[in-house]
Amino acid sequence: MPSSDEYRVAADPEATVALPVVTDESVDPDVDAEVGKAEQTLLDQLGGLSGLIYSTLPVLVFVPVNSFANLTVAIWAALGVAAAILIWRLVQRNPIQPAISGFFGVGLCALIAQRVGEAKGFFLFGIYTSLVYAGVFALSILLRRPLVGVIWGALNGHGHRWRTDKRIRKLYDLATAVWVVVFGARYLVQSQLYDTDHTTWLAVARIGMGWPLTAVALVVTVWAVRRAGHLPAAKTGKADKSGAGTESVPA
């Protein structure tokens, strides 16, 4: 016996409605290109893979020198390594902004260590920076403005339209939460080592929880952006006008 839906279609065979085609697994190639550019830009700002490795050298020098000599010698040794990295990047004609930032960062850490009067003071700035970052990223989730989405939208012209899409917002919540975990873990582990005067293990934690955890968080962030698969405002508007992404199905 024909169903009520079949009677309705028979009565009006032309009745159709345009429904969006939802394909969770497909990602627009333009989004892939944009994500690729963003990845490269971020990597360049970090100084590339070599820059990530160079950033650990001042710490690797500081702790053993402090053990064999004294705090003052260790501070100058770390500053010397940071300056050598800056000069090396100048000679190689590589981007020097990461090296300059690294040099001033080492200088600030050295100043704090000098004021504290202990080698563990060298890590104090990084510990509390992690706490601040964890708080800011967590707050952005509570305010329903996950920082991963805000930053990605600002960099690529998406604006804040993504906030109206629950699926996209959840993806950005997840990626932002990963950064909260990374920064929070750094603070909890390193602050405990700081309070118990384990300076050597503090250096190990600084390196081990540095760029390796950053790489993991970046992988999740890139996955979330690709999964969201949304386009910049201009391209989206163009797609909407052309009627792309819709199909006619029986009402």
Side-chain angles (χ1 to χ4, degrees):
M1 180 176 178
S3 65
S4 59
D5 288 340
E6 290 173 327
Y7 279 126
R8 184 175 55 178
V9 172
D12 188 2
E14 299 300 321
T16 59
V17 60
L19 295 178
V21 177
V22 179
T23 52
D24 288 340
E25 300 303 322
S26 62
V27 178
D28 193 286
D30 288 344
V31 175
D32 281 339
E34 288 178 355
V35 174
K37 289 179 183 177
E39 288 178 70
Q40 189 58 47
T41 299
L42 183 57
L43 193 59
D44 289 342
Q45 289 176 346
L46 294 174
L49 293 176
S50 60
L52 293 174
I53 296 173
Y54 290 156
S55 66
T56 65
L57 295 182
V59 176
L60 286 174
V61 170
F62 176 81
V63 173
V65 171
N66 179 72
S67 299
F68 293 113
N70 56 54
L71 179 59
T72 301
V73 175
I75 287 173
W76 282 110
L79 287 171
V81 170
I85 292 171
L86 176 57
I87 294 171
W88 174 255
R89 293 189 72 89
L90 280 171
V91 171
Q92 294 294 311
R93 296 184 179 180
N94 292 327
I96 62 170
Q97 189 274 331
I100 293 174
S101 299
F103 178 79
F104 282 107
V106 171
L108 180 58
C109 292
L111 177 62
I112 295 174
Q114 184 66 37
R115 296 297 297 271
V116 172
E118 296 181 81
K120 67 179 185 178
F122 188 85
F123 304 95
L124 198 57
F125 177 73
I127 291 172
Y128 282 101
T129 297
S130 294
L131 176 62
V132 171
Y133 282 156
V136 171
F137 274 74
L139 183 61
S140 74
I141 296 175
L142 295 176
L143 295 176
R144 301 171 67 86
R145 290 173 173 80
L147 268 182
V148 168
V150 172
I151 294 171
W152 175 251
L155 288 175
N156 296 277
H158 296 166
H160 301 290
R161 291 178 302 103
W162 55 268
R163 290 178 53 207
T164 62
D165 189 317
K166 213 178 255 190
R167 182 183 69 93
I168 293 175
R169 194 172 65 244
K170 285 181 178 178
L171 286 168
Y172 288 156
D173 280 343
L174 174 61
T176 303
V178 170
W179 286 102
V180 173
V181 172
V182 168
F183 291 126
R186 286 176 183 170
Y187 170 74
L188 291 174
V189 172
Q190 294 177 34
S191 62
Q192 181 65 25
L193 293 171
Y194 180 91
D195 291 338
T196 54
D197 296 323
H198 289 91
T199 305
T200 300
W201 282 108
L202 188 54
V204 172
R206 172 74 171 267
I207 296 171
M209 303 182 79
W211 61 264
L213 286 187
T214 298
V216 172
L218 284 174
V219 168
V220 176
T221 299
V222 170
W223 171 84
V225 170
R226 289 185 186 277
R227 182 78 174 174
H230 63 282
L231 298 174
K235 294 181 182 178
T236 301
K238 208 177 287 185
D240 289 341
K241 289 178 184 178
S242 64
T246 63
E247 65 176 0
S248 294
V249 298

